[in-house]
Amino acid sequence: MDGAQTPVTAPVLILLGPPGAGKGTQARMLEEQFGLVQLSTGDLLRSAVAAGTEAGQAADAVMKAGGLVSDEIVIAVLTDRLADADCAKGVVLDGFPRTTAQAEALDEMLARSGQTITAAISLEVDDVKMVRRVAGRFTCGDCGEGYHEDFKPTKKPGVCDACGSTSMTHRADDNAKTAMSRLDAYHVKTAPLIEYYEQKAALRRVDAMGSIDRIGQDIAQIVRGA
Ligand code: AMP
């Protein structure tokens, strides 16, 4: 779909940070608190892989290796999703942009509807600890609630606190080896976006090594003041 038709008119938040920084968790909290729509390009790509679409077939091997899917594919997938009516409520981008080309494409997409980024929130973490964070993650296969073996275990082993499901899933790329590649990709391709948004005066930094709730409060304060 043509990006010119994107109906987004409300806040556009970006969450920046290495894998395991908590982008998905915080995006879900923002969704609940502010009625925004979480747009995770990782989730969109995983759906495309599961559905066996052309984009999914092209993305599959790259994702398994912990590399970055091509800008062309990711921008197309995101543009398509942004055009859905629910995105008019405002969006929180989780995992996009990851390259300067993607950031520029997003700016152009928004400019066509007279918009700019509301804030790019950088989740600042200790990288070395990220690999452990990523390797311990799992998700409820039914409602999507995220957990972690050490930092956010389910109250009852194997049972989702939110919906009671026992269908827990573990992402294929959430292992120590792939996590290292994803961290490398972050440093080389994505970290330069911190300066990109700093120059646009859109960057907000948050210490993301503390508790999930405290980080959420810091982010909520930024969103209210934006
Ligand atoms: P995530 O769920 O955000 O950790 O993304 C999982 C994987 O999907 C990444 O390791 C990449 O292979 C791919 N991916 C997600 N978002 C992007 C993006 N914006 N650009 C390139 N690849 C992406």
Side-chain angles (χ1 to χ4, degrees):
M1 185 168 294
D2 184 345
Q5 292 163 15
T6 180
V8 176
T9 55
V12 180
L13 300 174
I14 293 170
L15 293 181
L16 285 174
K23 298 185 295 292
T25 303
Q26 295 299 332
R28 282 171 70 94
M29 287 164 67
L30 286 167
E31 197 171 44
E32 271 177 31
Q33 226 178 330
F34 295 97
L36 303 175
V37 174
Q38 173 193 11
L39 291 187
S40 153
T41 39
D43 284 347
L44 293 171
L45 290 168
R46 280 184 285 279
S47 299
V49 171
T53 65
E54 208 177 307
Q57 285 174 27
D60 194 18
V62 182
M63 291 172 77
K64 283 196 179 113
L68 289 188
V69 174
S70 76
D71 289 332
E72 196 190 353
I73 289 178
V74 178
I75 290 166
V77 166
L78 198 263
T79 306
D80 228 33
R81 178 65 183 91
L82 258 183
D84 289 343
D86 62 336
C87 293
K89 295 190 277 188
V91 295
V92 48
L93 297 172
D94 155 15
F96 183 96
R98 263 174 156 102
T99 65
T100 305
Q102 292 177 19
E104 288 169 353
L106 178 65
D107 284 345
E108 280 166 27
M109 229 184 278
L110 295 175
R112 283 187 227 127
S113 54
Q115 280 190 285
T116 53
I117 305 296
T118 310
I121 300 169
S122 168
L123 302 182
E124 314 252 309
V125 290
D126 173 347
D127 277 9
V128 179
K129 295 193 176 143
M130 288 310 98
V131 175
R132 173 69 200 122
R133 268 207 202 175
V134 166
R137 297 199 295 203
F138 58 98
T139 307
C140 172
D142 283 324
C143 75
E145 186 68 18
Y147 295 98
H148 190 281
E149 285 160 17
D150 301 330
F151 311 117
K152 192 188 164 193
T154 51
K155 292 194 180 95
K156 250 200 212 167
V159 181
C160 177
D161 296 351
C163 76
S165 166
T166 52
S167 145
M168 295 295 169
T169 61
H170 191 274
R171 276 171 47 175
D173 62 349
D174 274 352
N175 57 69
K177 186 165 170 269
T178 308
M180 288 301 291
S181 306
R182 289 159 65 200
L183 200 53
D184 280 350
Y186 173 79
H187 283 298
V188 176
K189 306 267 182 58
T190 311
L193 294 182
I194 291 179
E195 202 188 322
Y196 180 92
Y197 289 114
E198 199 154 40
Q199 282 179 5
K200 290 180 180 291
L203 190 77
R204 304 286 179 274
R205 292 177 192 270
V206 168
D207 173 0
M209 290 306 292
S211 78
I212 290 172
D213 285 342
R214 212 229 57 236
I215 299 163
Q217 285 161 15
D218 289 351
I219 294 176
Q221 206 171 351
I222 292 170
V223 176
R224 285 195 198 95

